[in-house]
Amino acid sequence: MIKQIIENNTEVKPNSKKLAALREYFAGCFTADGAFDIERFKDMMKDEVDISNEGYSLDFLGKDYANLIASIDTTTVIEPDLEHNEKPENKDSENIYISGDNLDALKHLLKSYAGKVKCIYIDPPYNTGSDGFVYNDKFSFTPEELEKKLSIDEDEAKRILDLTSRGSSTHSAWLMFMSPRLQLARELLSKDGVIFISIDDNEQANLKLLCDYVFGEENFLAQIIWQKRTSPDARYNLGAAHDYILVYGKYIDDLKEVLNKIPLTNERAAEYKNPDNDPRGDWASVDITGQTGHATNSQYFSITTPAGVEYKPPVGRCWALAESTFKDLVKDHRIWFGPDGTSRPRKKVFLSETEGCNAWTWWPNTEVGHNQEATKEIKELLGSADIFTNPKPTRLIRQILTLATQKQDMVIDFFSGSGTTANAIMQKNLEDGGSRKFIMVQWQEECKEDTPARKAGYRTIDEIGQERIKRAAAKIKAENPLFAGDLGFKHYTLRDVPENVLDKMVEFDPNAAGFANNMLEEFGRETVLDTWKVRDGYGMNAKMEPVALADYTAYQCGDHLYLTDEGMSDEAITALVDKYGEQTDWGPHYVVLFGYSFNFGATDALKKNLPLLNEGEKQIKINIDIRY
């Protein structure tokens, strides 16, 4: 368990994951001595992709350190909030709220949710100098260790450690903070997944370069301008009235038909007219030229208007439809040549047939809300506008959900703050009958003394977020009593293993005389089981079923059988072997032991008896995994 992770982490280097991927997919590019032959790689890929020797890249102090941190596994455990999770509104909920460092949370989540998340929205610290951002991590490398792991000199190692230990709000510190989190976020996204990141001018340029590095420049979708104010501030007589939202997909080729249209606003609907008195009603015209990338010969033809004017596709473009399709549209009076029949042809799109429109990159506050609206929402739910500063309006997040999700999708926000994203998801599900699920992550940042939040009884920011979700859910239910959607959430806290427990792990010897320990009590059975089921890919909502084995209770989740408690007798081992031998469909292939609960004798008995089942009638191959 934790001991094994700590041992494995000592071998991790900044590009361990990337190197493993290269070895898996390009094994032929490695020489006998383990060197990567770039010329072989170029030759292998020459017909599929252009290999460029020119370009630019983002560089900053601590870049390799950030890659290293992204590769190291978390040594935290997942502690369930048992009382909260058993409440009627939460017991069957598929929503998740995690209190803890989002870097640790992402590493846990990857084990169960990699490639399964459709949409990520985050509102990270902007590094304005007044938002309280200071980089400070818990890793305790020595300069000598960093020199070896990162292949850097002593001076650079000390500069990096100075940023991480003393805290810094420099651009390099902010990039070092964001880089590993974005790398892990990318792995969570499904192939057609999208990430939206709010930012302002302080780090926008750096964030764009970082996202190009992490997601690939070709997967950049847009930079949205959100008008966050109703009136600009007065700095330098040039007021900032907007923020940015950077949008990236995981694989751009999978996004062509994935981003949804958004409902027409009254302003956009007013653009539909009926100048030719078409009986089908108001319409708007759209361009019918397209890009030439995948064009066929049928998309290059001349068009003569009713007034005799000839048009060909503009230079570098083609018609977006084949000639036969164009002629069919002309017959159906769906091509507009202008009031006098001389204009370049455009296609008529009728309001009655319009499900929505393409979203623009300009999002005015009249359509998606503004800062004052967000503050008002906080006040209505929590009783004071000062409890949480600079929240986002739910209308903004609902616009993102409309654009990027289907009704059953999973959404993650790992800088969840006041819980706006969770609130917006519940509202969106109410609006369209969806069953979107959320995972919120928020560090337990302390509310400072004498602040309105602390005076209101909130010790940490995650407590504010949880309370906001509860009150938003209650409001939705009160106003919509027939709504049967998921308005609850399960709560988990990420815990570091105390030093005294780590010492016990190091000292543990299952062969020692007088075998006894209370390690399971140190963690808690539920914490061990919840940490394991996420690690083994079942997710945080998977059910853990007790399995009776004589006087011993094991726990099953999917294809794993977990043995956590001490005192597994010979009778219990016999009962386990017999249960496998019964003519039933039961038979998990993985038996996992909490090593601290098993002495040599019990472990040896399991190792001797369970493999024999592979020779029986059912021929079950069982893998025994002992975790420390």
Side-chain angles (χ1 to χ4, degrees):
M1 193 171 152
I2 303 302
K3 182 179 178 182
Q4 292 155 323
I5 291 173
I6 292 173
E7 291 171 352
N8 292 336
N9 282 344
T10 61
E11 303 299 321
V12 172
K13 293 190 175 181
N15 294 308
S16 293
K17 284 187 177 181
K18 297 181 179 70
L19 185 60
L22 284 174
R23 290 189 183 279
E24 179 178 358
Y25 295 106
F26 300 98
C29 295
F30 286 86
T31 62
D33 60 358
F36 185 75
D37 190 330
I38 190 65
E39 296 304 323
R40 289 187 196 176
F41 177 77
K42 289 180 180 179
D43 184 65
M44 184 182 295
M45 301 300 294
K46 63 184 179 182
D47 296 329
E48 305 294 332
V49 65
D50 293 330
I51 306 295
S52 174
N53 293 315
E54 298 183 5
Y56 66 94
S57 63
L58 173 67
D59 198 14
F60 57 91
L61 177 64
K63 181 177 179 180
D64 284 342
Y65 179 82
N67 293 338
L68 174 64
I69 297 309
S71 300
I72 290 174
D73 200 357
T74 177
T75 55
T76 58
V77 293
I78 302 172
E79 180 181 87
D81 185 341
L82 297 176
E83 181 180 356
H84 170 92
N85 295 350
E86 285 302 312
K87 291 181 178 179
E89 65 269 27
N90 303 320
K91 189 172 184 178
D92 296 319
S93 176
E94 296 186 68
N95 298 319
I96 301 294
Y97 193 103
I98 301 174
S99 297
D101 188 322
N102 54 20
L103 188 60
D104 290 316
L106 290 168
K107 291 174 181 179
H108 280 296
L109 292 172
L110 274 174
K111 296 174 175 64
S112 286
Y113 300 98
K116 298 179 181 179
V117 178
K118 181 62 186 303
C119 178
I120 296 175
Y121 170 76
I122 56 173
D123 183 18
Y126 285 7
N127 199 19
T128 62
S130 61
D131 64 355
F133 170 75
V134 174
Y135 182 84
N136 202 347
D137 69 33
K138 61 184 178 182
F139 301 99
S140 54
F141 295 104
T142 65
E144 293 74 22
E145 288 172 331
L146 279 193
E147 286 179 60
K148 183 178 179 180
K149 281 184 173 291
L150 305 182
S151 300
I152 58 179
D153 60 32
E154 181 182 4
D155 179 63
E156 185 173 352
K158 288 181 177 178
R159 289 169 60 204
I160 291 171
L161 290 176
D162 190 52
L163 285 182
T164 65
S165 59
R166 297 187 182 182
S168 173
S169 59
T170 63
H171 292 302
S172 288
W174 189 85
L175 288 166
M176 195 162 62
F177 170 76
M178 289 297 298
S179 180
R181 288 160 172 80
L182 292 179
Q183 291 181 51
L184 300 176
R186 183 186 180 278
E187 294 184 51
L188 282 171
L189 287 174
S190 59
K191 285 188 175 182
D192 59 353
V194 191
I195 184 169
F196 295 75
I197 310 170
S198 285
I199 200 69
D200 74 353
D201 284 312
N202 289 281
E203 296 291 357
Q204 176 275 328
N206 289 326
L207 179 61
K208 175 66 169 64
L209 290 174
L210 178 60
C211 287
D212 286 346
Y213 167 71
V214 172
F215 296 97
E217 188 176 355
E218 71 278 11
N219 293 313
F220 171 70
L221 284 173
Q223 179 170 273
I224 295 166
I225 308 298
W226 167 49
Q227 186 188 18
K228 65 179 180 180
R229 296 177 181 272
T230 54
S231 59
D233 61 20
R235 289 183 304 165
Y236 318 118
N237 294 322
L238 186 63
H242 69 276
D243 274 354
Y244 306 94
I245 303 175
L246 292 180
V247 189
Y248 281 79
K250 188 169 187 178
Y251 296 112
I252 195 71
D253 288 343
D254 292 295
L255 292 170
K256 292 176 180 176
E257 302 299 329
V258 172
L259 292 180
N260 307 312
K261 293 181 181 295
I262 61 174
L264 288 174
T265 63
N266 292 335
E267 182 181 353
R268 296 287 290 274
E271 296 173 4
Y272 287 72
K273 309 290 184 181
N274 194 0
D276 61 347
N277 295 316
D278 193 305
R280 288 166 290 194
D282 291 348
W283 53 268
S285 66
V286 296
D287 183 30
I288 61 169
T289 64
Q291 298 179 348
T292 60
H294 300 285
T296 63
N297 290 335
S298 65
Q299 291 173 253
Y300 295 93
F301 55 93
S302 296
I303 293 174
T304 302
T305 74
V309 180
E310 183 179 5
Y311 286 98
K312 293 181 179 180
V315 176
R317 293 181 70 80
C318 62
W319 299 119
L321 34 74
E323 185 173 10
S324 59
T325 303
F326 174 79
K327 289 180 178 179
D328 288 341
L329 291 173
V330 171
K331 290 179 182 178
D332 196 28
H333 302 290
R334 288 178 179 263
I335 298 295
W336 174 247
F337 294 99
D340 56 1
T342 62
S343 300
R344 180 184 298 279
R346 293 171 65 85
K347 181 182 175 182
K348 294 162 70 174
V349 178
F350 292 94
L351 180 60
S352 60
E353 300 172 349
T354 301
E355 296 180 358
C357 61
N358 295 327
W360 295 349
T361 55
W362 164 242
W363 289 10
N365 55 42
T366 54
E367 295 182 10
V368 298
H370 45 71
N371 286 348
Q372 292 93 322
E373 179 177 313
T375 300
K376 182 180 178 182
E377 290 177 331
I378 288 288
K379 183 176 181 179
E380 289 178 349
L381 287 172
L382 299 180
S384 170
D386 299 321
I387 286 178
F388 190 91
T389 59
N390 299 319
K392 295 295 185 287
T394 54
R395 279 202 292 164
L396 176 69
I397 310 303
R398 292 210 309 273
Q399 174 92 320
I400 290 172
L401 297 172
T402 299
L403 185 61
T405 69
Q406 304 299 327
K407 292 182 178 181
Q408 297 80 28
D409 285 333
M410 178 181 292
V411 182
I412 287 182
D413 181 347
F414 53 89
F415 287 95
S416 66
S418 69
T420 301
T421 300
N423 192 348
I425 288 170
M426 293 187 293
Q427 290 176 351
K428 186 64 180 175
N429 285 340
L430 171 66
E431 175 187 312
D432 65 5
S435 56
R436 297 169 187 81
K437 295 170 282 291
F438 65 73
I439 299 179
M440 301 289 109
V441 183
Q442 178 57 45
W443 173 47
Q444 303 104 310
E445 179 182 356
E446 287 192 14
C447 300
K448 296 179 181 179
E449 296 288 349
D450 297 326
T451 60
R454 194 62 174 260
K455 292 176 180 178
Y458 300 104
R459 296 178 297 108
T460 55
I461 298 298
D462 62 306
E463 290 182 0
I464 296 175
Q466 293 176 66
E467 186 62 23
R468 192 254 180 91
I469 298 170
K470 294 174 187 176
R471 296 193 185 190
K475 184 174 186 291
I476 290 173
K477 191 65 177 177
E479 295 174 352
N480 306 273
L482 298 181
F483 179 61
D486 189 348
L487 295 175
F489 64 91
K490 290 187 173 70
H491 177 229
Y492 299 86
T493 301
L494 304 185
R495 299 289 187 198
D496 286 304
V497 180
E499 285 294 330
N500 66 311
V501 178
L502 290 174
D503 292 340
K504 290 182 182 179
M505 290 180 178
V506 173
E507 297 166 0
F508 174 75
D509 180 4
N511 300 308
F515 170 85
N517 76 92
N518 64 345
M519 196 66 79
L520 188 62
E521 294 179 14
E522 297 281 7
F523 288 99
R525 180 188 300 109
E526 290 80 7
T527 295
V528 171
L529 291 173
D530 279 348
T531 303
W532 280 359
K533 74 180 182 183
V534 173
R535 168 181 172 165
D536 293 326
Y538 296 110
M540 304 184 87
N541 288 313
K543 300 295 184 183
M544 192 71 68
E545 300 295 339
V547 178
L549 303 171
D551 57 349
Y552 188 88
T553 301
Y555 300 88
Q556 183 181 2
C557 188
D559 205 24
H560 284 69
L561 185 69
Y562 299 115
L563 311 179
T564 58
D565 291 48
E566 294 181 31
M568 190 172 194
S569 63
D570 291 340
E571 290 79 9
I573 294 174
T574 300
L576 175 59
V577 173
D578 290 344
K579 189 171 181 63
Y580 269 108
E582 294 171 357
Q583 296 300 309
T584 67
D585 294 332
W586 191 86
H589 290 82
Y590 299 90
V591 175
V592 182
L593 280 64
F594 187 67
Y596 304 103
S597 295
F598 289 80
N599 58 24
F600 175 80
T603 303
D604 189 56
L606 288 166
K607 286 182 176 180
K608 286 180 178 178
N609 285 281
L610 292 181
L612 297 176
L613 294 168
N614 192 35
E615 303 171 6
E617 186 174 344
K618 290 177 72 173
Q619 292 191 339
I620 302 174
K621 184 177 181 180
I622 300 172
N623 301 279
I624 299 176
D625 182 3
I626 305 174
R627 296 178 182 173
Y628 293 99

